Amino acid sequence: MARAFRPVVLTANDLVEGDVVWWTGAVWSRDVSDAEVFDTPEAAEAAEAALNTPEHAACTVGIVRVEVEMRDGAPFPTLRREQIRAERRPTFDYLPTSKVSEAA
Amino acid sequence: MYSYDEFDERFVRERVAQFRDQVARRLDGSLTEEEFRPLRLMNGLYLQLHAYMLRIAIPYGSMNGRQMRMLGTIAEKWDRGYGHFTTRQNIQFNWPKLKDIPDILDALADVGMHAIQTSGNCIRNTTSDPFSGVATDEIEDPRATCELIRQWSSLHPEFTFLGRKFKIAVTGASSDRAAIRVHDIGIEIVKNEAGETGYRILVGGGLGRTPMIGKELRAFLPREELLPYLEACLRVYNMHGRRDNKYKARIKILVHELGIDTYREHVEAEYARIDRSNTAADMAEFARIAEQFAPPAYPELPEQSAIFERALKAHPDFAHWVEQNGFAHRVPGFMAVTVSLKPVGGAPGDATSEQLRVLAEAAEQYSMDELRITHEQNVVLPNVKKDELFALWTLLKSQGLDAPNKGLVTDIIACPGLDYCALATARSIPVAQEISKRFSDPARMADIGPLAIKISGCINACGHHHVGHIGILGLDKAGVESYQITLGGDPANDASLGERTGPGFSYDQVPGVIETLVETYLGLREPRETFLQTYRRVGMAPFKEALYADAA
Ligand code: HEM
Ligand code: SF4
């Protein structure tokens, strides 16, 4: 039996920067909480089809679906891998001290 | 050290120019990702979870100060201030931007470096002993053979699109520090009864989904036959190897399915047909290369150094570091040292741009301009005068590069895992960090003695977990990280693959599990017995009981 459909968002990596990006319905955002949530397979398919254009292929790499649940009214990935992507950084203090202070 | 000739130089420059054009065409939309992907991979450019990753070749792990300094500059200018040394003796940068890659490759070409053969189903960077040229147990510097293989395999039209990637390692010493038994082809430089130098060839080793220890294909191959013989090995693999299933496409599967004797028959039959008219030219080239690896002009020094002896007495920290990280040099008055990239709680193999620059300076000032990257993700300074060791240590210490833990429980190998890698099923770096913190006490580390912990974030085994004395494999169990533990693996002369303890453990349990294993060993060991020796003597049962008794 097929598993029940869970809400999804669409994600990719930015072509130039490599950054993780999320489809808001209008633009690609760096913030997963901006992502548009698709509650049915039909809605997700329609959005994927709409993004299947040379224009999007020229600014993103690998558009895929990611399952989400709602947290504080915003989508949040269910899979650990996608949660780490959504954080936009490794889970440990990865930056050299010099860079941390630069960023601060 | 080997320096590129005009052919290499021109070739690398042309490749950069070509890739610059390809990047431009991808950015303006005239190349699709499907078209571009194989092109970027051929130039070492991957896409990981958060960003692109550029893998740069460090042939046989050897480099000079100028090259190391350039890596520091790249980290600073185009990345986030650090790089990651890998178990394949390469370096990876984790945050470059696509538009900057051609400039990075040009900067590398300025110092004779590139990112070719770091990806794809070709013959990859040939790896070697980090103590090449200086070890006391060495018959011959293996890097000349590595370089011969590099030149032959670079862009070999027949072997650029193999069924799968192909990895070769060469050692020239009796003690295997290059893990040749877990490579597709492992080469050991040996002498025959007549005293001639040649090669012992192993085949079919590897890690990944189906780990295997290499088997002996030829006990002695005369030197001049190396390249045609390798050609025969690869051709048989190329013709018979499976391409239907990428997990079965490695040569180890072919050797396993055919049996080593049948594979050998195929190779010898093919070898009999091969045109060997080039061997004279190969040997002329080998002589030219070998000259470039001729030992540097070592000054004549007494074996004992008074300055060194005084420093050892005056500075216990220094003495401890020398004891743990020093390595006997064949030339009197010299020593090789390992610079550990495993400070307590650090990310294994990571080095900041400042550290990369200090390593460059250390090489230039104190190691006759030579550095080696080890497959344990550390750096070796091979040519240090004992007279200058203390000054070197002081310099390294200024950048936190003085961890005295080579080969100890905190000298952990870890792949990037789920913090970076798109293929990962679990994290590995933070696991290493937690274990390292738990064993941070130097006295305890020393008491535990040699213990190699190796962690991979998925079945691909980039962290060599199968050959860790303790191996840790991170898996995904219904969306949750779960870690499988293996015991008794080892990559050296008595190579063995680790055995699974039983059901896996959660992320939070792992440090405690390692602690239990170590305590069990300490309780069982006989005088001067290492973890591995104890395990080989007593077997799995007591460890298993210690781990699972409570659960039962
Ligand atoms: C982060 C990007 C990386 C990717 C996408 C990647 C991918 C892979 C894959 C797919 C395999 C399995 C190949 C096979 O069985 O044919 C593999 C094997 C391997 N990788 Fe990586 N890897 C990455 C990083 C690394 C790093 C950082 C290291 C060193 C720390 C490394 C060292 C190795 C080694 C030694 C193997 C050999 C396994 C064998 O002999 O079968 N890789 N890698
Ligand atoms: S072992 Fe798996 S997780 Fe680790 S670097 Fe290799 S492919 Fe990535």
Side-chain angles (χ1 to χ4, degrees):
Chain A
M1 198 185 84
R3 205 157 62 87
F5 184 84
R6 303 233 189 95
V8 295
V9 299
L10 297 178
T11 183
N13 286 79
D14 181 79
L15 174 70
V16 181
E17 309 279 323
D19 289 2
V20 175
V21 290
W22 309 90
W23 180 244
T24 67
V27 291
W28 292 99
S29 164
R30 258 69 174 168
D31 188 346
V32 66
S33 59
D34 295 339
E36 179 174 18
V37 179
F38 303 99
D39 290 311
T40 64
E42 295 74 27
E45 262 156 47
E48 277 166 342
L51 291 177
N52 186 12
T53 66
E55 194 186 28
H56 287 285
C59 66
T60 59
V61 184
I63 303 174
V64 292
R65 292 179 190 189
V66 164
E67 279 188 3
V68 291
E69 59 194 23
M70 299 309 279
R71 282 203 194 168
D72 303 327
F76 188 76
T78 54
L79 286 181
R80 190 77 188 100
R81 177 185 197 272
E82 296 306 324
Q83 290 169 357
I84 292 173
R85 281 181 81 243
E87 293 291 329
R88 306 182 54 210
R89 44 159 294 167
T91 61
F92 59 94
D93 287 331
Y94 73 101
L95 277 183
T97 346
S98 61
K99 292 277 160 175
V100 175
S101 44
E102 234 170 69
Chain B
M1 228 183 79
Y2 189 78
S3 61
Y4 279 2
D5 59 20
E6 296 113 73
F7 172 81
D8 294 313
E9 162 78 20
R10 188 154 24 90
F11 173 73
V12 168
R13 291 289 178 190
E14 279 169 13
R15 266 296 269 277
V16 176
Q18 186 186 41
F19 191 55
R20 185 179 289 283
D21 177 58
Q22 290 160 346
V23 168
R25 286 191 290 141
R26 175 68 182 108
L27 289 173
D28 74 17
S30 39
L31 283 180
T32 66
E33 187 59 21
E34 290 67 40
E35 291 163 332
F36 181 64
R37 190 170 173 276
L39 303 174
R40 70 167 156 79
L41 286 174
M42 276 169 71
N43 289 283
L45 187 63
Y46 290 72
L47 186 60
Q48 302 206 81
L49 284 188
H50 307 285
Y52 289 99
M53 178 272 278
L54 182 65
R55 183 179 291 165
I56 295 165
I58 303 173
Y60 27 90
S62 252
M63 60 198 303
N64 62 27
R66 194 163 155 251
Q67 294 173 321
M68 186 63 103
R69 185 168 290 106
M70 183 55 89
L71 295 180
T73 303
I74 290 171
E76 183 65 37
K77 192 165 167 188
W78 289 294
D79 207 88
R80 295 193 181 173
Y82 70 104
H84 176 78
F85 288 104
T86 79
T87 50
R88 294 279 312 151
Q89 300 179 307
N90 290 324
I91 187 169
Q92 298 186 173
F93 287 108
N94 289 309
W95 307 95
K97 308 213 178 305
L98 180 58
K99 62 181 180 351
D100 295 331
I101 302 295
D103 292 342
I104 299 176
L105 294 177
D106 257 332
L108 286 169
D110 289 344
V111 294
M113 295 180 84
H114 58 77
I116 299 166
Q117 283 181 305
T118 59
S119 166
N121 295 333
C122 60
I123 301 176
R124 301 282 189 93
N125 181 26
T126 298
T127 51
S128 189
D129 182 351
F131 297 103
S132 297
V134 308
T136 53
D137 65 341
E138 185 173 275
I139 291 178
E140 174 182 284
D141 191 328
R143 291 174 300 166
T145 297
C146 293
E147 176 58 25
L148 186 71
I149 295 171
R150 185 192 71 81
Q151 294 184 11
W152 162 79
S153 66
S154 289
L155 325 157
H156 193 302
E158 188 179 341
F159 305 138
T160 307
F161 297 99
L162 294 166
R164 210 68 181 81
K165 57 177 151 183
F166 201 92
K167 298 176 178 178
I168 303 178
V170 187
T171 176
S174 51
S175 191
D176 177 9
R177 290 173 291 262
I180 65 166
R181 286 158 184 81
V182 290
H183 280 76
D184 295 292
I185 287 185
I187 301 177
E188 182 182 353
I189 299 175
V190 290
K191 278 198 196 306
N192 66 5
E193 277 157 20
E196 294 155 342
T197 305
Y199 303 106
R200 177 174 175 233
I201 309 287
L202 307 178
V203 68
L207 302 171
R209 189 169 299 251
T210 320
M212 298 215 186
I213 303 288
K215 297 168 191 73
E216 186 178 280
L217 188 60
R218 267 271 197 135
F220 186 86
L221 182 73
R223 155 155 291 153
E224 62 277 11
E225 298 187 35
L226 181 65
L227 296 184
Y229 194 76
L230 288 180
E231 194 155 320
C233 292
L234 271 129
R235 191 165 297 152
V236 169
Y237 161 59
N238 224 7
M239 290 186 311
H240 297 268
R242 296 179 58 156
R243 288 189 183 231
D244 56 324
N245 176 338
K246 76 171 184 163
Y247 299 116
K248 296 193 170 175
R250 296 289 290 264
I251 193 173
K252 61 189 173 190
I253 305 290
L254 178 69
V255 172
H256 182 72
E257 288 185 350
L258 289 178
I260 182 71
D261 294 326
T262 309
Y263 174 73
R264 185 183 300 112
E265 279 166 31
H266 284 298
V267 169
E268 296 294 342
E270 179 59 33
Y271 186 52
R273 275 196 293 272
I274 274 184
D275 169 18
R276 283 180 237 170
S277 54
N278 265 336
T279 51
D282 292 347
M283 283 306 93
E285 180 58 15
F286 181 80
R288 187 188 73 85
I289 295 169
E291 218 163 88
Q292 299 215 30
F293 286 106
Y298 291 109
E300 244 177 74
L301 297 174
E303 176 57 15
Q304 302 295 326
S305 152
I307 308 178
F308 177 55
E309 298 299 331
R310 266 201 307 280
L312 287 177
K313 288 210 180 71
H315 301 274
D317 285 2
F318 170 61
H320 181 51
W321 178 74
V322 171
E323 157 100 27
Q324 199 56 50
N325 293 28
F327 184 86
H329 199 291
R330 61 179 182 78
V331 176
F334 280 83
M335 209 177 210
V337 288
T338 298
V339 180
S340 164
L341 298 180
K342 320 289 177 66
V344 166
D350 275 12
T352 66
S353 45
E354 290 84 354
Q355 289 176 328
L356 295 168
R357 279 195 288 266
V358 162
L359 286 167
E361 190 185 329
E364 287 165 352
Q365 250 185 325
Y366 301 113
S367 181
M368 305 177 96
D369 204 15
E370 272 206 56
L371 295 139
R372 311 285 171 74
I373 309 308
T374 80
H375 79 265
E376 278 110 7
Q377 302 177 286
N378 290 319
V379 176
V380 162
L381 293 166
N383 286 319
V384 187
K385 286 182 193 153
K386 286 184 182 172
D387 286 344
E388 295 179 343
L389 259 175
F390 183 72
L392 166 65
W393 178 73
T394 311
L395 173 66
L396 293 173
K397 200 172 155 63
S398 72
Q399 281 297 332
L401 290 167
D402 60 332
N405 61 351
K406 188 204 169 214
L408 299 180
V409 55
T410 52
D411 187 3
I412 301 171
I413 291 184
C415 78
L418 194 53
D419 285 289
Y420 294 100
C421 178
L423 303 173
T425 40
R427 287 173 293 164
S428 43
I429 294 172
V431 175
Q433 292 175 318
E434 290 309 314
I435 296 170
S436 163
K437 283 185 210 151
R438 199 171 271 238
F439 292 97
S440 61
D441 174 16
R444 185 167 180 224
M445 252 190 258
D447 180 39
I448 296 166
L451 175 51
I453 299 181
K454 308 191 182 205
I455 313 177
S456 304
C458 82
I459 194 75
N460 286 322
C462 302
H464 290 189
H465 64 277
H466 302 292
V467 288
H469 301 162
I470 299 178
I472 304 177
L473 166 61
L475 296 169
D476 174 302
K477 282 262 162 73
V480 181
E481 292 162 307
S482 168
Y483 294 85
Q484 222 169 57
I485 310 289
T486 48
L487 300 179
D490 192 63
N493 298 57
D494 285 333
S496 54
L497 301 170
E499 229 185 306
R500 243 162 74 189
T501 57
F505 297 91
S506 71
Y507 177 85
D508 293 328
Q509 286 174 315
V510 175
V513 162
I514 304 304
E515 181 117 45
T516 303
L517 292 169
V518 168
E519 289 303 325
T520 306
Y521 149 67
L522 292 175
L524 289 168
R525 72 172 165 188
E526 289 182 346
R528 286 182 304 284
E529 212 177 35
T530 64
F531 180 93
L532 184 64
Q533 289 163 340
T534 299
Y535 176 79
R536 284 179 174 171
R537 178 172 57 81
V538 305
M540 175 63 86
F543 292 97
K544 200 170 177 137
E545 193 181 309
L547 286 183
Y548 301 102
D550 295 347

